[in-house]
Amino acid sequence: MPRSQRIIIASGFLLTAALALVVVASQIGLTWYSAPGASGVATKQIAVFEPAMVGTVVSALATLALLAHLLVVTRRTVPRWQWGVSGTVCALSVLAAVIVSTADRPVF
């Protein structure tokens, strides 16, 4: 495989994992408003969505691994099994984003 093609494919894997990381990390904070009290003002409450925290860690590790893969690919040719592993890691990152996005949110 030519060097330019290796770099483009590895960059695509990295970009996909980075976008999945942004999607998952954006779902960490949950905001809700409590019922108005005696003063008639509803207070803003913020909670942490734990599945999004786990998904963020998974996606961040996948992004770091794919960044390392991109750096190795720019330097030399890698074995075919590393491409399979990097594709699997990219798919895992996207799967984590999909699972967190479809997870049930707590009801306050």
Side-chain angles (χ1 to χ4, degrees), residues 13-93:
F13 283 160
L14 178 62
L15 181 63
T16 304
L19 289 175
L21 176 62
V22 169
V23 167
V24 174
S26 67
Q27 298 179 30
I28 291 176
L30 293 174
T31 305
W32 81 95
Y33 294 90
S34 62
S39 64
V41 177
T43 35
K44 182 177 180 180
Q45 306 289 327
I46 298 176
V48 174
F49 186 48
E50 286 86 7
M53 291 291 293
V54 173
T56 301
V57 170
V58 168
S59 292
L61 291 175
T63 302
L64 286 174
L66 290 170
L67 178 62
H69 182 258
L70 175 64
L71 293 174
V72 170
V73 163
T74 58
R75 303 279 307 197
R76 61 181 170 86
T77 305
V78 295
R80 198 173 289 207
W81 65 269
Q82 283 188 2
W83 287 105
V85 170
S86 65
T88 304
V89 167
C90 182
L92 179 68
S93 178

